[in-house]
Structure formats: C-alpha cells, structure tokens
Amino acid sequence: MNQVKRRKLILEMIKVNGEVRSKELAKQFGVSTMTISRDLNELEKEGEINLIYGGATYKENSILEKPMSIKELANINEKKAIGNYCNKIIPSGSLVFIETGTTTLAAAKEIFQKKNCTFYTNSLLVMNSLSNYEEINLYSVPGKYRDLSQGFLGIQVSDFIQNFNFDYCLIGAEGISVTSGVTLLDNNDAFTKRAVMKRSKCKILVADSSKFGKDYGYKIGDVHDFDYIVTDNGIDEKTYQDIKEMTKIIAVNKPKT
C-alpha cells in the first residue's frame, strides 16, 4: 500500500473511531511505528487530527458510519472467536439467515460447513465469500443495494422473506445498550434487520465488545429480544452482568496470535 492511500485510510479510521494508537496501526498496515508517526505528523499538519502520546485523535466530535473496509480491519481475532462460538450454537440441518456486517461475515465463515444447512443472506460480503465453496446451499435475497452496508436492504427483503421461518438469524449492530437497546446508524438497515428477526425462531446478536455502551439513532430491538448475544471477553463486567439478567450472553476468548 502506498503512502498516500495509507494516510487516507488512517484518516478515515481516526474519523470513525475518534482515536487511534500508533502500535495498532503499525501492526495493521505492516509498517514500523516510525512510519506511522510520520503519517500522523503529516495529517496533523493538515489540521484534521490532534497528536497524543502514542497515537492521535480526531478534532471534530462527529459520528460517522464506518465503511466496511475499515470494519474488516477492526478486532479480527475477536470476530473469529465469536464466529467459532456460533458454530457451536447452530446445529446441522438448520435454515439460517445471515445479515450484513463484518462480524456476521466472520460467523458465516465458521458455520458454512454445517451439514444440510441452508443459508440465506442479503450481504454481498457473505455471498462473495461463501460462493467460492462447492456443495453449499446458499441463496441471496433481493433489495436495494447500500454501499456502506455492502448488502441489500429494505422492503423487498421484508416482502421476500414473509414465506420463510428461519431457524436462526445472525444479526450485527453498531451500538448495544442495556437501557437504549440495540441500534444502528441507518434506518433502512435497522428496518431490514427487524424484518429478518420477525421471521426467525432463534435470534443471535454477534458484536465485538467495542459496540457496548454505544447508542445510535435507529433501534433494532431491546437486548432481551435476542436469544443469544455473542461477544468477546473485552466487555466490562457490569455490562455483562446486567445483560446476563435479560438474556443469554457469551463472552468468548479471542484466539492467541
């Protein structure tokens, strides 16, 4: 990756996360921390970020939805561990809907080999990933394409699935709060996820621990609307215990690197 592209991507990451750490950036991009420091110094000269010890923060307090290219770089090991646990929940012979998101994608990569399962998805990422495998029962659903979601959303999805009764659905989210519920930044995305949940017997929320304590504008449902919440062990103890009183929550250990 060239310098210009790397700096552009770093700036996007700072905008959507609010803060980045130099060591983490160096690991993600496969460069030295000195190289990252030079990148951050140049971005600071352009006036969009503030340098802090060991990293940088964004100057403006704005909320932006993360592009999938950024989401795929975040918490990779945690998402894989979450996906591994979903593989334990879903039995062979199930009818499964996999919603949009990078954590649902990670789960899809773990469960696709289940015997006699049939998978439906509105996620282009899931379709592109799983379509490479032979002898898999995989179907896409119609809808209006949304680039930030990398999937197909809206009333067409809702209409299409009305004649289905899915055994399981895998749902992702941007924010999870005990008081405010499970939320997203996009209304159409939230509408689609609610429609899928209504047609599913068992609802599994998959989200890494960074999503907890956050609250956005469009609600999918309450915490207790999900049969399982699968996350990583980075979740704080109080939040874990509060949610445990409402539904089954599993905090898995990420695999060692």
Side-chain angles (χ1 to χ4, degrees), residues 122-188:
N122 61 332
S123 168
L124 185 61
L125 293 176
V126 172
M127 285 299 300
N128 286 341
S129 177
L130 300 194
S131 62
N132 294 318
Y133 301 99
E134 297 180 359
E135 298 182 3
I136 178 173
N137 295 318
L138 177 65
Y139 298 87
S140 63
V141 303
K144 182 179 180 181
Y145 181 73
R146 181 173 186 261
D147 188 54
L148 278 172
S149 300
Q150 288 284 289
F152 304 94
L153 310 176
I155 192 67
Q156 287 175 297
V157 177
S158 179
D159 288 345
F160 181 83
I161 65 175
Q162 288 309 305
N163 294 320
F164 290 85
N165 289 308
F166 299 104
D167 296 310
Y168 296 86
C169 67
L170 295 171
I171 304 288
E174 297 291 345
I176 304 169
S177 167
V178 172
T179 54
S180 301
V182 183
T183 54
L184 292 171
L185 285 156
D186 181 73
N187 187 31
N188 209 24

Side-chain angles (χ1 to χ4, degrees), residues 19-30:
E19 180 179 337
V20 293
R21 312 305 297 179
S22 298
K23 287 184 178 180
E24 293 176 2
L25 291 175
K27 184 178 179 180
Q28 287 183 0
F29 289 104

Side-chain angles (χ1 to χ4, degrees), residues 5 10 12 24 36 40 43 85 87 93 97 100 141 146 185 188 234 243 257:
K5 186 175 180 180
I10 289 172
E12 287 182 357
E24 293 176 2
I36 294 297
L40 294 178
L43 292 172
Y85 195 90
N87 193 41
F97 197 103
T100 57
V141 303
R146 181 173 186 261
L185 285 156
N188 209 24
I243 293 176
T257 56

